[in-house]
Amino acid sequence: MIDQLRLLVDTDSGSYDKEGVDRVGAHLRTFLEGAGLTCETFVSERYGDGLRATLGTPDERQKPILLMGHRDTVFPKGETGQRPFRIEDHLAYGPGVADMKAGLVMNSFVLAAFARFGAPGPIVGLYTSDEEIASPSSRALIEQEARRARAVFNAEPGRPSGNVVTGRKGGVFIRMEIRGVPAHSGVNFEQGVSAIEELSRKVTAIHALTDLEKGITVNVGLVSGGQSVNTVAPNARAEIDLRYIEPQDHSRIVGQIQEIVATSFVPGTSAELEILGEFLPLVSTDASRQLFALYAGCAERIGLTVGEEFTGGCADSGFAAALGVPTLCATGPCGGKAHSPDEYLELDTLVPRAQALALSILALGSP
């Protein structure tokens, strides 16, 4: 497992690096086909291709268990050359080592074990390509596979506490473009209309939508604009991150942001809004709570105590859960500090987390 993890971590696979993401897919396909699984590629022109590995013959009577994971990372091309995979004590380091290449390795070895020793029913492994940017090309594939599944395990990294995730916020990523009127800031200032002034007023109004008691946060995380220091700014841009818990809050808050964008606080300005990507929330249901109880019980059989957590982070598990499929997230090996140079993986969780997943599949039994 460590050898396979080293191979994947030392392959650059930022979300927009199609070649790199596909190379990770090729490594996985070589392993999976060597273990006897049937693999299929779903071609994407812009992002990495989707990869599906199938064990058994899923159909309406034999609904599969779906194991999910994404191959992309947040790191730029060349990152692996600067800090390749390494092990210090019981921890592994490297770009995407926990988020979530260790989860890909775990799912692959579980699939390989069932291919060798027999499975209680069909199992599908889905390896997607663009989760870190809200899965623009993978969402349809995830929903396609989830609709025919009877349970979903998403191998995002297990929490440092050892817990899995049973609830996540939804997220919307929005871009706002503002137009003003340029003018020389010393000669004919009064003829200009500042897009940056309009931006500042919109940011204040947008941030006021945050409601911490309801778990709603609205953050303007990127701003840019202007032409030069001595020009009244003819343009400005901002990118907005909206997070929410309850599905019904989505339309309400997005509508309020749209209203703010459409309102000209500074006369003579105009603005447009573009939704760049969305994640759906992972909402706990009776069925998903039963799946967690089953998983926790299986983990206990091998000496692991696993609790459940809620997180403000988003993941592909929300797309599956929104279809009513029992879904459990963060079943991968445990790690922390994702998206940073200090990201780490607890190597001694690789095998136990794989065992807990395999026991859960066995406990679910045949369809």
Side-chain angles (χ1 to χ4, degrees), residues 1-354:
M1 295 176 88
I2 291 173
D3 288 343
Q4 185 74 2
L5 181 60
R6 184 189 305 275
L7 180 65
L8 300 189
V9 170
D10 283 345
T11 304
D12 282 318
S13 58
S15 303
Y16 296 101
D17 179 5
K18 175 175 170 56
E19 181 183 358
V21 175
D22 284 342
R23 193 176 300 117
V24 172
H27 292 321
L28 289 163
R29 184 167 189 152
T30 297
F31 175 85
L32 292 162
E33 289 182 337
L37 285 105
T38 301
C39 292
E40 184 176 359
T41 297
F42 297 83
V43 176
S44 170
E45 294 299 323
R46 182 175 180 184
Y47 305 102
D49 299 336
L51 175 65
R52 180 178 67 197
T54 305
L55 181 62
T57 307
D59 57 33
E60 284 301 315
R61 290 188 313 105
Q62 296 272 313
K63 287 193 170 186
I65 294 168
L66 178 61
L67 311 183
M68 296 202 315
H70 65 86
R71 311 190 317 267
D72 61 319
T73 74
V74 299
F75 300 104
K77 204 165 188 174
E79 188 80 8
T80 61
Q82 297 178 33
R83 49 185 193 93
F85 180 85
R86 76 182 196 279
I87 296 173
E88 293 181 8
D89 298 324
H90 66 290
L91 301 180
Y93 298 89
V97 65
D99 185 17
M100 62 175 295
K101 290 182 174 178
L104 304 180
V105 171
M106 182 196 74
N107 281 355
S108 299
F109 272 74
V110 169
L111 286 165
F114 280 115
R116 181 174 179 183
F117 295 106
I123 309 174
V124 170
L126 188 62
Y127 301 82
T128 56
S129 62
D130 50 3
E131 187 268 356
E132 297 293 0
I133 53 172
S135 297
S137 73
S138 299
R139 177 176 176 175
L141 179 58
I142 292 165
E143 292 174 337
Q144 169 190 298
E145 296 303 315
R147 281 191 184 96
R148 61 179 192 154
R150 60 194 181 99
V152 176
F153 295 90
N154 191 35
E156 289 282 353
R159 307 294 97 170
S161 62
N163 291 346
V164 295
V165 169
T166 54
R168 288 183 179 272
K169 286 187 177 183
V172 186
F173 309 120
I174 302 167
R175 178 183 293 143
M176 173 173 62
E177 300 271 1
I178 302 170
R179 290 178 298 277
V181 178
H184 192 291
S185 60
V187 176
N188 56 335
F189 175 87
E190 69 283 356
Q191 295 177 16
V193 180
S194 174
I196 288 179
E197 182 181 350
E198 177 70 11
L199 171 66
S200 66
R201 298 192 184 193
K202 288 188 189 299
V203 168
T204 300
I206 288 169
H207 276 183
L209 299 175
T210 291
D211 187 337
L212 294 178
E213 288 188 2
K214 290 186 176 181
I216 297 168
T217 59
V218 191
N219 178 63
V220 178
L222 290 172
V223 295
S224 62
Q227 176 176 300
S228 69
V229 69
N230 57 348
T231 303
V232 176
N235 52 65
R237 169 186 289 189
E239 293 194 15
I240 306 159
D241 177 294
L242 162 64
R243 302 289 170 116
Y244 63 97
I245 297 174
E246 299 297 335
Q248 61 266 28
D249 286 331
H250 170 277
S251 297
R252 179 175 64 85
I253 301 299
V254 169
Q256 290 176 326
I257 294 172
Q258 289 172 330
E259 185 177 342
I260 290 168
V261 172
T263 300
S264 293
F265 296 88
V266 177
T269 61
S270 61
E272 294 179 352
L273 174 150
E274 178 186 4
I275 293 179
L276 303 176
E278 294 195 51
F279 280 107
L280 299 182
L282 173 62
V283 179
S284 182
T285 64
D286 288 343
S288 66
R289 284 188 284 272
Q290 291 173 11
L291 185 62
F292 165 72
L294 179 143
Y295 178 89
C298 290
E300 189 174 359
R301 290 172 55 190
I302 57 170
L304 294 181
T305 300
V306 176
E308 57 182 316
E309 289 187 18
F310 178 89
T311 178
C314 302
D316 285 336
S317 50
F319 298 133
L323 298 171
V325 186
T327 302
L328 196 58
C329 196
T331 57
C334 299
K337 298 188 178 180
H339 297 194
S340 83
D342 299 319
E343 180 181 3
Y344 68 90
L345 175 77
E346 298 176 30
L347 283 173
D348 57 5
T349 66
L350 269 170
V351 171
R353 299 289 279 205

